[in-house]
Amino acid sequence: MSLLIKNIRLAETNLNQKTDIFIQNGKIMRIAPNLTYSADRIIDGSTFVAMPGLFDMHVHFRDPGQTHKEDIFTGCQAALAGGVTGVMCMPNTSPPVDSPEILTYIRKKAESSGVQVCPAACITKGMQGEELTNFAELKNAGAVCFSDDGKPVQNAELMRLALEQARQENMLIASHCEDLAIIHGGIMHKGSVSAELGVNGMDRVSEDYITAREIILAHSVHAKIHICHVSTKGSVEIIRQAKKFGIPVTCETAPHYFMFTHEKLRSRNANDRMNPPLREEEDRLAIEQAVLDGTIDCIVTDHAPHTQREKADFEHAPNGIVGLETSLAATLTALYHTGKCSLEKIISLMSSRPRELLNLPPVHIQENAPANFILVDIHHEWTVDPSALHGKSCNTAFRNQKLTGKVMFTITDGIIRYEYHA
Ligand code: DOR
Ligand code: ZN
Ligand code: ZN
C-alpha cells in the first residue's frame, strides 16, 4: 500500500509552506514539494494540516467485563475517528487489570486495531486499596503505568509504598485524587448549583487534599507522580508550586474542564456528570491558564462510556463521559481558534508529552519514521451528534456543541484507518 499526500502543511514544522508526503510499506519515505511517485491513493491535502497521531493517556475501554458499553475494538474506532493513534487504557475493568493474563488479553485483542493500546495496571489487587500488585511482573507483561483510577488509594502509607515500588521499576503512577470521606456521596460539584438542585456536592477540598498528599508522598520517596484529570483552581496551584520546587509531578486535564462549568448541570442531564465534576468559572479559568502556562502537561479525555439507560437517571447514573471523538476539535475550538494556544503547543499536550511521560517512543512526521499521523481540517465547522459517534456509547457532554476542526484522515502503519465522510 502506498499513499501520496499532495500540498499538505505540517503543523510541527512550517505551517506556511505546503509539501508532499509519500508513504510506502508503513513508512514515510519522502517529504518534499512536487513529488511525482505513483501511489495506490493520492490525497489532496491542500485544505488540511498534518499532525502527529494523538496520544490519550486516560481512557476507559470497559474490556474485559462491560463490553456492552465499549470494547477494545470500538474504543479504538472512536480513537481513530478523533485522530487518536495511541491510548493508555485504565485498569478499572471487570475483573480489574491486576494480572499478567489480563494484560496479555488486552494487548492481543488490540493487536489489529490500528491503535497503540497501552494498558495501565492496578496499583492494588482488585483495586481494593489493600494490597499492592506486583509491579515488576505487570511491567514485564506490558503495563506502561500504574493506577487505581476510578478510586483513590485511601491509605497514605500504601500509596507511599506504591510510589517506592514505581520508582524502583522506573514507572509512573497516575493518581485519581479524591478523598471519599469528604465526597460522601456527592454527585456533582459542591456549590450554588448543587444547592439549588438539592443534591449532594463534591467539595473541591477532596481533590486538592489528595493532590497535595500525593505530591508530598512522591517527594518523600523521590518518585514521579502524575495527577489525573485536574479540575480545581487549588489543585492546579499546588501542582504549579510543586513544579517550582523541582518535584517531578506532572498532570493532565480534559477539555470539559476548560470549556464547561457546573452551570451546565442545571438541565439535570447525567451526560454532564463525571468525576471529578464540572466546577466553577474560576476553576475553569485556572485550568485554562494552567494549560497555557505549562503547569498542565497533557490533555486527555477520561473517555468513560456508559449506557443511555444508566445515564437517563440524573441522580443515580454512573460518572463519566466519552470524549475521544471530540477532544481535538474541542481543544482547537477553545484554545487555538481563540488565539490562546499554538498548534505546536496542542501537539505537545495531546501527542508528544503523554508519550514522553510513559517512556514511549516519540511520533514525528519525518522521513523514515513510521507513518502515524492525522490530516485535520482545522476550519471545518460541525455540530456534535451523539448518535454519529463511532464508539458504543454516546454519553457526551459535547452533544449539540458547535466545534471548529475535524479529523479527516487518521493513518497508522501507513494505512488509512479512518476517513471522514460528510
Ligand atoms: O467520571 C469518571 N468515570 N471518573 C472516574 O474516575 C471513573 C470513570 C469511569 O470509569 O466511568
Ligand atoms: Zn479518575
Ligand atoms: Zn478515568
Side-chain angles (χ1 to χ4, degrees), residues 103-346:
L103 285 164
T104 305
Y105 163 83
I106 293 171
R107 282 162 15 107
K108 272 239 152 351
K109 198 158 172 184
E111 251 166 26
S112 58
S113 67
V115 174
Q116 182 184 14
V117 176
C118 304
C122 300
I123 298 171
T124 67
K125 289 186 182 161
M127 270 182 67
Q128 293 300 303
E130 282 159 14
E131 202 185 328
L132 295 183
T133 55
N134 184 332
F135 286 16
E137 178 186 66
L138 296 169
K139 180 187 178 184
N140 266 337
V144 297
C145 181
F146 294 96
S147 183
D148 272 3
D149 182 59
K151 280 188 191 174
V153 176
Q154 289 293 327
N155 184 316
E157 173 60 359
L158 197 64
M159 190 54 157
R160 196 176 62 86
L161 291 169
L163 285 158
E164 223 160 37
Q165 222 187 115
R167 189 204 59 221
Q168 277 157 20
E169 299 299 332
N170 190 28
M171 293 281 278
L172 191 65
I173 287 194
S175 173
H176 167 113
C177 295
E178 183 182 20
D179 188 299
L180 296 177
I182 298 173
I183 292 289
H184 48 72
I187 64 159
M188 63 176 286
H189 172 69
K190 184 175 186 173
S192 54
V193 180
S194 66
E196 272 175 49
L197 296 180
V199 298
N200 282 341
M202 305 153 102
D203 200 299
R204 290 187 184 100
V205 172
S206 157
E207 178 174 336
D208 299 353
Y209 166 52
I210 300 294
T211 300
R213 184 198 79 170
E214 305 304 49
I215 291 170
I216 291 164
L217 293 175
H219 184 53
S220 76
V221 296
H222 310 289
K224 292 183 282 188
I225 180 75
H226 181 77
I227 308 295
C228 291
H229 41 51
V230 175
S231 75
T232 66
K233 57 181 181 174
S235 176
V236 111
E237 190 52 33
I238 291 163
I239 294 164
R240 183 178 287 119
Q241 294 308 324
K243 284 189 168 195
K244 273 192 197 151
F245 277 111
I247 298 173
V249 55
T250 55
C251 69
E252 62 187 38
T253 193
H256 41 277
Y257 299 119
F258 56 78
M259 291 183 77
F260 302 137
T261 69
H262 65 160
E263 296 293 335
K264 208 171 187 305
L265 278 290
R266 283 186 196 282
S267 57
R268 299 180 68 94
N269 189 325
N271 292 316
D272 297 323
R273 278 194 42 221
M274 72 295 291
N275 184 17
L278 300 176
R279 307 270 185 194
E280 300 183 24
E281 179 61 9
E282 60 204 82
D283 300 283
R284 190 195 68 74
L285 278 171
I287 296 298
E288 182 187 279
Q289 185 51 40
V291 169
L292 301 179
D293 74 15
T295 302
I296 292 176
D297 297 83
C298 311
I299 294 176
V300 302
T301 60
D302 201 358
H303 182 85
H306 290 294
T307 63
Q308 254 173 302
R309 212 188 141 103
E310 287 170 310
K311 283 294 199 181
D313 181 340
F314 175 63
E315 290 188 30
H316 301 101
N319 288 311
I321 59 169
V322 295
L324 278 164
E325 299 183 55
T326 49
S327 57
L328 177 63
T331 303
L332 288 170
T333 304
L335 303 182
Y336 176 76
H337 290 297
T338 51
K340 294 173 182 167
C341 188
S342 67
L343 285 183
E344 289 97 312
K345 172 81 178 162
I346 291 173

Side-chain angles (χ1 to χ4, degrees), residues 1-38:
M1 163 101 188
S2 58
L3 203 56
L4 181 61
I5 299 159
K6 299 291 293 175
N7 298 313
I8 187 76
R9 292 180 296 147
L10 305 182
E12 265 187 310
T13 44
N14 190 349
L15 264 183
N16 300 318
Q17 212 179 318
K18 289 185 176 180
T19 190
D20 297 350
I21 307 177
F22 179 64
I23 294 142
Q24 198 171 34
N25 302 328
K27 249 174 55 177
I28 298 176
M29 306 298 286
R30 197 87 169 83
I31 302 178
N34 307 317
L35 295 181
T36 54
Y37 296 98
S38 66

